[in-house]
Amino acid sequence: MDTVNRPFRSVLYIPGSKDRALDKARGLPVDAIIFDLEDAVSPDAKVDARATLKAALAEDGYGSRYKIIRINGLDSAWGQGDIDALRDANADAFLIPKVSRPDDVQAVADLLGNGKPIWAMIETPLGVMNAAAIAAHPQLYGFVAGTNDLAKELNCRYRADRLPKQMALQTMLLAARAHDVIAIDGVYNQFKDDDGLRAESEQGRDLGFDGKTLIHPAQIAIANECFAPSAAEIELAERQIAAFEEVEASGQGVAVVDGKIVENLHVETAKKTLAKAKAIAEQDAE
Ligand code: COA
Ligand code: MG
């Protein structure tokens, strides 16, 4: 599948130390997996987790799911060892926690030495403020919002509407879009609250995120639904394209559909919607 249109609706964290969860993920309908060595793994399990994860990736069985390894930071006792142990593992990309500047990406790129795509957690105040420079790094492929760390760093309160985090979320989105980088929203901690997850997923989608990071299999279906174009959106996109082609043939540049203007820029968005729907249908068929 072409990576530009590749879906990232659901991106599930799996503790790299947990055999059972590593195995379970082989049958879960997620677009991507973050195999975690950082905060989901306790310090005394970190060294063993490298071998557990490497073996699971070698065995594979993850199909077309995009495989991301989240390493520990290079400022920790484990970051360098994670890279040494997993640089050649069967994964698509590496995710660096708490990225604050482009140099943090370059340092990992140098240690990896294989040109593999790098993703950055944006979860520190400096990371948000340097988001544009980080996104501009040539090996940087995606951003993941670290909304729990962000709340800790900002000292902000939890609110269902995420008002205190909006500036950070939108700053990282602007940076991602400016540099053609994927942007995945943060996790929803109350993994048994479906209504809350849906509301937050819809907000992230409306802001422009490509998908949501998840902590539990029970969250997958809602993220997949919220970040996919709906049947009504697909139908509208088809009508917009048809209506525009019709007026264009008669030498005009503006069509009207459902009482709203449709110009060439709306047609570009409509075509993107259809391409996304097609990529999702292909992914779901696998
Ligand atoms: N990925 C894959 N499988 C998972 C999973 C995950 N993130 N979370 C739970 N499962 C599996 C369990 O192994 C269990 O499988 P089983 O039925 O085959 O035994 C099943 O889903 C049901 O799990 P459940 O009992 O409801 O949850 P739990 O109490 O075992 O775990 C959490 C709850 C929150 C501790 C667990 O979901 C988790 O560790 N999530 C990831 C946390 C994380 O990665 N944090 C870092 C980023 S914020
Ligand atoms: Mg974090």
Side-chain angles (χ1 to χ4, degrees):
M1 186 183 304
D2 106 57
T3 44
V4 178
N5 278 321
R6 187 180 182 111
F8 282 102
R9 296 164 294 174
S10 48
V11 181
L12 179 68
Y13 282 103
I14 302 185
S17 54
K18 286 199 185 160
D19 267 323
R20 200 172 169 84
L22 288 167
D23 186 44
K24 188 162 185 103
R26 297 189 167 99
L28 297 173
V30 288
D31 291 337
I33 299 171
I34 297 174
F35 297 96
D36 193 21
L37 296 172
E38 199 219 16
D39 284 350
V41 179
S42 64
D44 57 358
K46 284 201 191 272
V47 169
D48 288 349
R50 293 172 187 153
T52 305
L53 176 55
K54 193 161 187 185
L57 290 168
E59 190 186 330
D60 206 7
Y62 295 103
S64 63
R65 297 169 189 80
Y66 188 85
K67 296 175 292 209
I68 305 169
I69 297 173
R70 183 165 79 167
I71 58 170
N72 289 281
L74 289 182
D75 56 352
S76 75
W78 306 282
Q80 168 109 40
D82 290 346
I83 294 176
D84 289 342
L86 288 147
R87 127 179 346 102
D88 300 322
N90 177 26
D92 297 298
F94 289 83
L95 171 62
I96 317 170
K98 301 177 180 73
V99 172
S100 287
R101 13 179 107 69
D103 284 357
D104 299 341
V105 178
Q106 190 55 47
V108 171
D110 289 343
L111 288 170
L112 278 174
N114 57 13
K116 276 228 171 137
I118 293 175
W119 292 56
M121 299 288 308
I122 301 297
E123 52 187 345
T124 65
L126 266 178
V128 173
M129 290 190 290
N130 291 330
I134 296 165
H137 190 284
Q139 221 168 311
L140 204 283
Y141 190 87
F143 275 168
V144 176
T147 39
N148 281 321
D149 268 298
L150 196 58
K152 169 177 166 265
E153 296 295 317
L154 294 177
N155 190 31
C156 69
R157 297 274 176 100
Y158 173 80
R159 284 177 50 137
D161 64 3
R162 298 198 291 178
L163 181 73
K165 294 175 198 157
Q166 288 301 323
M167 184 159 186
L169 292 173
Q170 294 186 27
T171 302
M172 79 182 73
L173 260 166
L174 280 166
R177 295 303 171 235
H179 294 286
D180 213 3
V181 154
I182 306 278
I184 311 294
D185 200 356
V187 299
Y188 186 69
N189 293 341
Q190 297 97 300
F191 60 88
K192 291 182 178 158
D193 170 11
D194 287 354
D195 292 342
L197 173 65
R198 183 176 292 277
E200 200 176 280
S201 298
E202 287 174 353
Q203 187 199 52
R205 173 202 63 202
D206 291 354
L207 284 171
F209 281 102
D210 296 293
K212 193 157 181 66
T213 43
L214 309 173
I215 47 179
H216 193 280
Q219 298 183 311
I220 298 168
I222 289 174
N224 280 346
E225 184 192 326
C226 289
F227 285 93
S230 67
E233 284 166 340
I234 293 169
E235 191 259 349
L236 175 63
E238 285 166 345
R239 284 193 294 126
Q240 287 174 324
I241 293 166
F244 188 80
E245 281 171 357
E246 208 179 301
V247 296
E248 211 182 21
S250 63
Q252 292 168 59
V254 185
V256 178
V257 173
D258 297 348
K260 292 182 203 136
I261 58 162
V262 176
E263 297 173 334
N264 56 354
L265 70 126
H266 301 110
V267 171
E268 274 178 41
T269 304
K271 286 182 176 165
K272 258 176 138 171
T273 298
L274 295 186
K276 190 172 181 181
K278 184 166 171 272
I280 287 170
E282 281 169 19
Q283 169 84 1
D284 287 349
E286 277 178 27

